[in-house]
Amino acid sequence: MASFTMEDYQKAYKLGKKDYQARMMRGELPTLQVLDDILPPKGSYSEVPLGLVQIPIDQIVGTKSDGRSNAFAGNFMPILRENTEFAYKWATLSQSHIDKGIREPIKAYEYMNKFYVQEGNKRVSVLKYFDAVSVPGYVTRILPPRTDQKENKLYYEFVDFYAVTQINYIWFTKPGSFVRLQAAFGKGPKDVWTDDDRLLFSSVYSRFSIEYEALGGKKLSITTGDAFLAFLTIYNYEVIDQKTTNEMKELVAKTWEEFKLLEHNQKIDLKMDPSRTEKKSLLDRLLPASTPKLKIAFLYAKTPATSAWTYAHELGRLHLEQTFPEEVTTECYENLTQDLAEKAIYEAIRKDCNIIFTTTPEFVKASVQAAIDHPNVKILNCSLNTSHRYIRTYYARMYEAKFLMGAVAGAMSENGQLAYIADYPIFGTIANINAFALGAKMVNPRARVYLEWSTLKDVDIRLAMENVQKKGVTVVSGKDMVIPEDASRYFGLYHLTEEGPHNLAMPLWHWGKFYEQLIRTIMDGTWKYDDNKDETKAINYWWGLSAEVIDVIYSQKLPIGTQKLLSMLKHAIATGEYHPFSGILYSQDGMIQSDPNKILSPEEIITMNWLADNVVGAIPASWELTEQAKPVTAQSGVEKQKG
């Protein structure tokens, strides 16, 4: 036997002893895991033969039985001395691998996407020593009983993913990720992948993995799959596939803060009120710097004339120009698709815009890409519960205004039968619906809210409303505000009469107030203090009545008592004396909160996927929506959890 083959065994032996001792010091099992020791009771699981499979080496973690487990450390390196028959066979196999490669398949069991060797332990050890990527093997899958545990749910999501892709080398830490991965690849959950699909995926994923792990990705507490999925939320497959090795390395390095954010479970630092404290040094106060000149761009998905949402933001832009005539100039880009938004952002940057507001969740991807490329430009996206480190996001606590409108509706309805027309089932919208229902219930315990969605496909909203009216509804909460090209009075909260709708109240998105207060933090230098460098969190401004960024305008024809009630509730919410989601709360499925003194947390309010018990209706699934709604809901959509 050539001497260098035993030299390889000696090196492998040292690696094994080192790993053995390290595991002992950490109080871990120092040898290979044994599948028979961790399997659930016999009869509770089933076995499924998968045939010949390419097994990722990194996912081989142990042996089926304990016969050979003590010959290897936990990293599959040998720990028996070189004068043993085992060492001789290992060295011979090593030489064979060098000469012609190991091609004989092993036999293994797969359990929870980890592999345990039945035959071929030494082959696996040699291949791990030589840093092989995979080994062919005949695999039997062990399916555990289904449970509600996170790991079990995640595993069964993988089983479904494997059934249509035959891919077993990617793993995640969060349920829902496998479906998100398929969606990012343009596939539905049950779409079968072709050989070309698998080749493209393997190429893109392996190229990303090499650069990610070379930069220290394995030191992070997330999986490479987690990082890859985050990468795909910013860059498309086609973009990644066209990158050179150096470009890929640079792109992964630039995106590193996004991966670190995943370690912290994509934590969002919610700023509930504007920062009012200027942290300036004495010298700065004695010698104040001149106010910076700001050039600000606004990106709209529609035009102010055709969209109430865009019109509200356009009023905010005009408010900025009027408030800061010397310090601020603005640009606006209208009628943008996702692709056009990307071009518009870069055009704004070329025009020296140093602040960019993208006013819809549809533009998140384009916003993050541009922010990574241009770290000196402040880019903010109008969305809620969006977790990115390179941009900041903003929204308003509209549920506070909707609660007030619900109280008015409950007071003005003759029979307590109300209707609420919602548009997109996204973060924030569900809280608005429930707050409206709770406000109505506070004034009228028998109030019922019939929920209709304007973005459902194959549903005529006018016909739906006619059916609702047959149930006795006379008070309706419609779209938030009127737009210039629409002379209709079917907006805000209105009362249906024989003469037509009579407007009772209207919620106001005062984006001008928001933009003004945010720009002041940039001008006075307090903007930077919102970002705590000691913590890895995304920043989301979520202001409400207390910051005067939302309000309710109501008809002076409302009864005096109702006007007083509205003023009292508005003051109580703005000062924190009362919260719409406080006390005992019931959903359509039962009790949500039992403590009369408790208030739902901001995170619980944002991520609501339930409807109040006096709401008649449901949260639609994404497939029930129109094509127009999908870009928005793909980014910030909420679906009621099943099962």
Side-chain angles (χ1 to χ4, degrees):
M1 177 172 50
S3 60
F4 70 87
T5 56
M6 190 52 73
E7 182 180 335
D8 282 331
Y9 185 82
Q10 291 167 349
K11 290 178 180 178
Y13 173 78
K14 288 179 180 179
L15 292 173
K17 294 300 287 185
K18 183 178 179 180
D19 184 79
Y20 185 98
Q21 292 166 0
R23 291 174 189 263
M24 286 285 287
M25 292 291 290
R26 295 195 299 266
E28 300 174 0
L29 176 70
T31 55
L32 292 179
Q33 297 179 34
V34 177
L35 178 60
D36 287 342
D37 293 343
I38 61 175
L39 281 177
K42 282 192 174 182
S44 66
Y45 61 84
S46 58
E47 296 186 5
V48 180
L50 300 182
L52 186 62
V53 171
Q54 205 63 28
I55 306 172
I57 282 287
D58 285 347
Q59 288 165 232
I60 302 177
V61 298
T63 65
K64 171 63 169 65
S65 57
D66 61 4
R68 273 297 187 189
S69 64
N70 293 325
F72 304 93
N75 63 351
F76 249 103
M77 292 298 101
I79 53 176
L80 299 182
R81 295 192 178 277
E82 62 184 276
N83 59 354
T84 61
E85 181 183 2
F86 173 89
Y88 174 80
K89 289 182 177 179
W90 193 101
T92 303
L93 192 59
S94 171
Q95 183 63 49
S96 176
H97 176 66
I98 293 170
D99 292 340
K100 56 185 179 181
I102 294 175
R103 295 184 176 85
E104 184 182 354
I106 66 170
K107 289 185 179 180
Y109 283 82
E110 182 254 286
Y111 178 63
M112 302 296 284
N113 202 29
K114 299 293 183 183
F115 294 85
Y116 301 82
V117 181
Q118 184 180 25
E119 292 180 13
N121 288 291
K122 284 191 287 294
R123 273 170 276 168
V124 170
S125 179
V126 169
L127 288 169
K128 279 183 176 279
Y129 172 75
F130 284 104
D131 293 323
V133 175
S134 62
V135 58
Y138 292 100
V139 175
T140 300
R141 169 174 288 160
I142 293 180
L143 284 172
R146 288 182 181 267
T147 70
D148 289 330
Q149 292 182 334
K150 173 186 170 183
E151 292 78 9
N152 185 278
K153 288 184 175 180
L154 188 60
Y155 178 68
Y156 271 96
E157 288 180 10
F158 160 74
V159 171
D160 292 338
F161 174 77
Y162 181 83
V164 295
T165 66
Q166 301 298 297
I167 291 172
N168 60 6
Y169 51 82
I170 189 167
W171 190 253
F172 301 103
T173 58
K174 294 182 68 175
S177 296
F178 285 103
V179 172
R180 287 179 58 207
L181 176 64
Q182 286 173 264
F185 198 69
K187 300 284 189 181
K190 296 183 180 180
D191 290 345
V192 177
W193 289 32
T194 65
D195 289 340
D196 287 342
D197 291 336
R198 283 188 283 272
L199 283 172
L200 173 61
F201 180 83
S202 176
S203 171
V204 174
Y205 180 70
S206 62
R207 293 183 65 220
F208 170 83
S209 300
I210 290 169
E211 302 305 334
Y212 171 75
E213 292 174 9
L215 290 169
K218 286 196 172 180
K219 294 179 182 178
L220 301 182
S221 59
I222 59 174
T223 68
T224 303
D226 290 328
F228 181 64
L229 184 55
F231 201 61
L232 284 181
T233 64
I234 304 171
Y235 304 102
N236 295 328
Y237 274 98
E238 296 81 4
V239 173
I240 302 171
D241 193 41
Q242 297 301 315
K243 296 295 181 184
T244 65
T245 300
N246 286 338
E247 287 173 337
M248 177 70 85
K249 183 176 182 178
E250 182 181 359
L251 206 56
V252 173
K254 281 184 175 181
T255 317
W256 202 255
E257 287 294 315
E258 292 289 297
F259 308 143
K260 289 176 65 178
L261 185 61
L262 294 174
E263 280 199 299
H264 300 269
N265 199 28
Q266 294 179 294
K267 286 186 178 178
I268 298 175
D269 187 4
L270 287 170
K271 307 293 183 182
M272 305 297 284
D273 283 293
S275 174
R276 304 188 187 281
T277 303
E278 292 189 25
K279 300 182 179 180
K280 293 184 177 181
S281 67
L282 177 60
L283 183 62
D284 286 338
R285 292 196 295 269
L286 293 174
L287 300 171
S290 59
T291 303
K293 301 294 183 182
L294 301 176
K295 191 170 184 180
I296 307 172
F298 289 79
L299 272 64
Y300 305 141
K302 298 180 182 177
T303 68
T306 58
S307 164
W309 177 260
T310 299
Y311 182 46
H313 285 278
E314 175 64 3
L315 292 177
R317 182 185 73 84
L318 296 174
H319 176 91
L320 268 189
E321 288 189 337
Q322 294 168 359
T323 305
F324 304 106
E326 302 297 326
E327 300 91 348
V328 169
T329 58
T330 67
E331 298 266 347
C332 69
Y333 300 83
E334 302 177 357
N335 240 6
L336 301 175
T337 62
Q338 293 185 63
D339 291 338
L340 290 175
E342 183 178 341
K343 295 176 182 177
I345 293 174
Y346 283 94
E347 175 64 22
I349 293 172
R350 280 193 292 271
K351 289 184 176 181
D352 297 322
C353 290
N354 42 24
I355 302 172
I356 299 175
F357 291 105
T358 59
T359 59
T360 170
E362 294 176 66
F363 300 161
V364 165
K365 180 180 286 191
S367 301
V368 177
Q369 287 180 11
I372 289 173
D373 286 343
H374 299 276
N376 294 325
V377 179
K378 296 176 175 65
I379 301 179
L380 298 95
N381 176 260
C382 190
S383 58
L384 190 59
N385 204 45
T386 304
S387 181
H388 291 287
R389 279 290 289 167
Y390 294 91
I391 63 171
R392 299 187 186 185
T393 57
Y394 63 99
Y395 213 70
R397 299 196 298 272
M398 181 50 70
Y399 73 83
E400 296 175 347
K402 295 289 186 177
F403 179 84
L404 299 177
M405 291 178 60
V408 174
M412 298 302 293
S413 172
E414 296 89 347
N415 56 11
Q417 305 298 297
L418 313 171
Y420 190 108
I421 303 175
D423 46 18
Y424 304 107
I426 60 176
F427 294 117
T429 297
I430 310 304
N432 294 347
I433 297 166
N434 287 335
F436 180 88
L438 291 173
K441 192 175 184 180
M442 170 184 276
V443 176
N444 183 347
R446 292 181 296 278
R448 290 168 63 83
V449 179
Y450 293 90
L451 174 61
E452 298 293 337
W453 295 91
S454 64
T455 53
L456 285 178
K457 64 183 178 183
D458 303 325
V459 173
D460 186 329
I461 188 65
R462 292 186 180 182
L463 182 60
M465 287 306 299
E466 288 178 8
N467 292 334
V468 165
Q469 283 179 253
K470 291 177 182 177
K471 297 175 181 176
V473 169
T474 57
V475 177
V476 179
S477 174
K479 59 186 178 182
D480 286 348
M481 63 185 296
V482 71
I483 54 177
E485 288 189 359
D486 188 357
S488 167
R489 301 195 65 83
Y490 290 93
F491 67 90
L493 186 71
Y494 52 89
H495 188 241
L496 293 171
T497 68
E498 292 182 358
E499 294 80 26
H502 287 184
N503 297 105
L504 302 174
M506 182 181 81
L508 179 65
W509 299 81
H510 203 331
W511 290 117
K513 286 279 189 181
F514 174 89
Y515 291 131
E516 177 188 343
Q517 293 180 80
L518 192 69
I519 293 305
R520 289 192 188 280
T521 69
I522 295 172
M523 288 179 170
D524 65 25
T526 56
W527 159 278
K528 60 185 177 182
Y529 295 109
D530 281 338
D531 191 3
N532 186 343
K533 298 299 182 183
D534 296 329
E535 296 182 342
T536 303
K537 291 184 179 181
I539 295 175
N540 188 181
Y541 300 100
W542 197 34
W543 301 343
L545 283 171
S546 57
E548 300 181 347
V549 299
I550 59 167
D551 204 347
V552 173
I553 301 172
Y554 55 87
S555 170
Q556 294 304 308
K557 294 182 180 180
L558 288 180
I560 295 298
T562 303
Q563 293 186 40
K564 285 184 178 180
L565 174 64
L566 198 62
S567 296
M568 289 171 57
L569 287 174
K570 177 181 174 181
H571 176 78
I573 293 171
T575 57
E577 296 174 13
Y578 181 77
H579 196 288
F581 293 110
S582 59
I584 299 172
L585 298 173
Y586 289 91
S587 76
Q588 294 172 336
D589 299 322
M591 185 175 286
I592 291 292
Q593 183 168 271
S594 59
D595 188 343
N597 299 312
K598 188 179 177 183
I599 298 172
L600 288 184
S601 70
E603 291 77 14
E604 289 173 321
I605 295 171
I606 289 172
T607 58
M608 277 181 182
N609 62 351
W610 52 269
L611 293 171
D613 61 342
N614 63 326
V615 174
V616 180
I619 301 171
S622 56
W623 58 266
E624 298 177 278
L625 303 173
T626 62
E627 289 299 318
Q628 178 191 5
K630 289 180 180 178
V632 178
T633 54
Q635 176 60 44
S636 301
V638 175
E639 289 193 28
K640 182 176 174 60
Q641 298 298 312
K642 306 291 194 301

